[in-house]
Amino acid sequence: MREADERLSREQNKTVDKGEILEYLAFSTYKEGNINLALDLTNKLLEMVPTHERAKGNKVYYEEEIQKGSYKKKGDDETDDIITNEGHDTPNPDRERYEALCRGELTLPDELVSKLKCRYVTNNNPYLLIAPFKVEQAHISPDLFIFHDVMSDAEIKTIKTLATPKFRRATVQNSVTGQLEIAQYRISKSAWLEEDEHEHVAAVNKRVEDMTGLAVATAEQLQVVNYGIGGHYEPHFDFSRKDEVNSFKSLGTGNRIATVLFYMSDVEQGGATVFPVIGTALWPKKGTAAFWYNLFPSGDGDRLTRHAACPVLAGSKWVSNKWIHERGQEFLRPCTLERPPDDLTI
Ligand SMILES: O=C(O)CCC(=O)C(=O)O
Ligand SMILES: [Fe+2]
């Protein structure tokens, strides 16, 4: 908005109204937490347009908020931070690690990185003898793998084209009711693609089977997701927890045993997939895919797989998810009787 204001001042024939810019600037400044500046800008707007009803209402609101003292100024410049309410002041290590990972400030210690290897994988599959998968390990225990060059540009183009007209605001499942809901902590558009919509979708599903050695007949359809600037998905688990008895019930295929996440674009800035508990960040690279197990062989959910999609700062991020379910894997990944320690499960 500041840029828009500057451009407007250079324009001979004005293409926008300065009042409109001031209104947006005030609101976004308020959202950033700088309520004092938001009030100054609103006052400026009211000097120009004293009858502006929304600005009058906002002025009263901002003044009341400042009065309540819920926003404290830290510095005297425009970039002062906010201290909003108790919730924000309470230390939240998970949140702090999520944000530090997103900024690229937290990386795995060298001793752990030195144990990570890249390898060619054939999974005893004759086709893969000719063209093995190029697999990079990004974390050990829980194991996170990056598969390189597993989605072609042509497949990506088809998948984007098929998904675009179907896009809806992404939802999350209410853990109590099992209902799908829109939530502020997941900002993106998403769509589901069926296998028989295009040979490229079928090929990608088959590839997931070859990559993971798991059956995809019981997997969910391919979920395509697009995040615009600011789009993100805050820390979450892909699987349903012990107390979430209604999640995935209608599918009848058990819990989400594993996730394959295809990156269908590079992202100019931001947009990493981060794992706050284990301190790992995966940066999107077009054509690669991340793979991890969400559940231990006992069927218990792995707490360490908590992950998030960082806000996109510049560009646009495209991914697709293939969630593999428990049913059908009985002989491919046999379950065990021993259970992991309680503090690792959820
Ligand atoms: O977009 C990402 O990087 C992660 C997405 C994700 O975790 C999800 O859709 O469940
Ligand atoms: Fe996820």
Side-chain angles (χ1 to χ4, degrees):
M1 282 300 127
R2 287 201 189 93
E3 174 71 20
D5 195 24
E6 213 172 283
R7 284 184 189 206
L8 180 70
S9 67
R10 291 198 301 263
E11 271 184 354
Q12 297 270 316
N13 300 321
K14 307 289 183 203
T15 51
V16 279
D17 170 40
K18 182 164 173 91
E20 213 173 319
I21 293 181
L22 274 177
E23 190 186 353
Y24 278 112
L25 185 55
F27 184 67
S28 50
T29 307
Y30 159 68
K31 290 298 255 183
E32 280 171 9
N34 193 340
I35 199 153
N36 291 298
L37 183 61
L39 178 62
D40 286 351
L41 292 163
T42 307
N43 282 333
K44 245 186 230 155
L45 171 59
L46 282 167
E47 271 168 34
M48 282 172 51
V49 196
T51 53
H52 198 299
E53 287 307 319
R54 261 195 315 276
K56 283 199 253 175
N58 289 346
K59 177 180 162 74
V60 173
Y61 176 76
Y62 296 151
E63 282 171 346
E64 277 173 8
E65 288 293 298
I66 291 171
Q67 198 70 33
K68 273 195 249 161
S70 51
Y71 286 77
K72 277 196 221 144
K73 228 169 140 75
K74 256 196 178 165
D76 55 4
D77 63 0
E78 288 183 3
T79 58
D80 46 1
D81 288 335
I82 57 162
I83 302 172
T84 45
N85 48 35
E86 310 248 307
H88 253 85
D89 280 346
T90 316
N92 181 344
D94 185 57
R95 174 105 210 155
E96 277 160 25
R97 285 169 70 81
Y98 157 53
E99 293 181 1
L101 282 163
C102 287
R103 291 192 296 265
E105 288 172 3
L106 201 64
T107 47
L108 271 188
D110 290 346
E111 315 87 83
L112 292 186
V113 174
S114 68
K115 296 197 173 77
L116 302 173
K117 297 203 168 63
C118 294
R119 50 184 162 254
Y120 287 115
V121 168
T122 55
N123 283 344
N124 286 330
N125 176 333
Y127 291 106
L128 296 181
L129 290 177
I130 304 166
F133 288 119
K134 291 170 276 184
V135 184
E136 177 188 340
Q137 188 152 16
H139 195 272
I140 299 172
S141 189
D143 294 347
L144 295 182
F145 297 105
I146 306 291
F147 284 73
H148 288 265
D149 302 318
V150 280
M151 209 186 242
S152 70
D153 286 354
E155 287 167 340
I156 290 173
K157 201 163 163 213
T158 305
I159 290 169
K160 285 182 174 176
T161 309
L162 291 173
T164 301
K166 295 192 190 188
F167 271 147
R168 296 283 173 275
R169 180 62 206 271
T171 53
V172 291
Q173 196 163 36
N174 182 308
S175 57
V176 179
T177 61
Q179 297 291 310
L180 295 177
E181 295 172 352
I182 282 176
Q184 280 306 315
Y185 61 85
R186 187 180 193 193
I187 309 279
S188 60
K189 291 172 286 182
S190 65
W192 297 94
L193 297 187
E194 282 177 45
E195 165 131 340
D196 54 16
E197 278 181 62
H198 196 283
E199 64 190 68
H200 284 164
V201 181
V204 167
N205 288 345
K206 174 77 180 80
R207 198 160 309 132
V208 167
E209 200 158 74
D210 293 340
M211 285 159 60
T212 62
L214 297 171
V216 293
T218 51
E220 291 168 61
Q221 291 175 351
L222 190 70
Q223 186 192 51
V224 185
V225 186
N226 177 224
Y227 304 84
I229 289 178
H232 65 275
Y233 190 177
E234 292 185 19
H236 64 278
F237 298 103
D238 281 353
F239 58 88
S240 73
R241 262 73 73 228
K242 292 179 188 117
D243 54 345
E244 295 175 344
V245 285
N246 287 322
S247 304
F248 312 129
K249 200 174 173 183
S250 58
L251 301 177
T253 49
N255 211 343
R256 283 177 174 165
I257 192 172
T259 297
V260 176
L261 173 68
F262 287 94
Y263 294 104
M264 304 201 300
S265 69
D266 297 327
V267 181
E268 238 173 273
Q269 214 175 17
T273 310
V274 298
F275 295 73
V277 190
I278 57 174
T280 297
L282 310 177
W283 295 90
K285 181 164 166 267
K286 189 179 180 189
T288 63
F291 166 60
W292 67 90
Y293 277 103
N294 295 303
L295 307 181
F296 287 102
S298 62
D300 293 295
D302 188 341
R303 198 185 268 280
L304 306 189
T305 63
R306 188 169 169 79
H307 61 281
C310 298
V312 170
L313 304 179
S316 166
K317 175 181 172 187
W318 287 81
V319 298
S320 45
N321 282 302
K322 192 75 182 165
W323 283 300
I324 303 171
H325 280 242
E326 292 179 285
R327 292 294 100 74
Q329 322 305 344
E330 292 80 358
F331 297 106
L332 301 167
R333 195 206 194 209
C335 47
T336 53
L337 289 178
E338 34 336 323
R339 307 188 76 158
D342 274 352
D343 59 335
L344 287 183
T345 68
I346 184 162

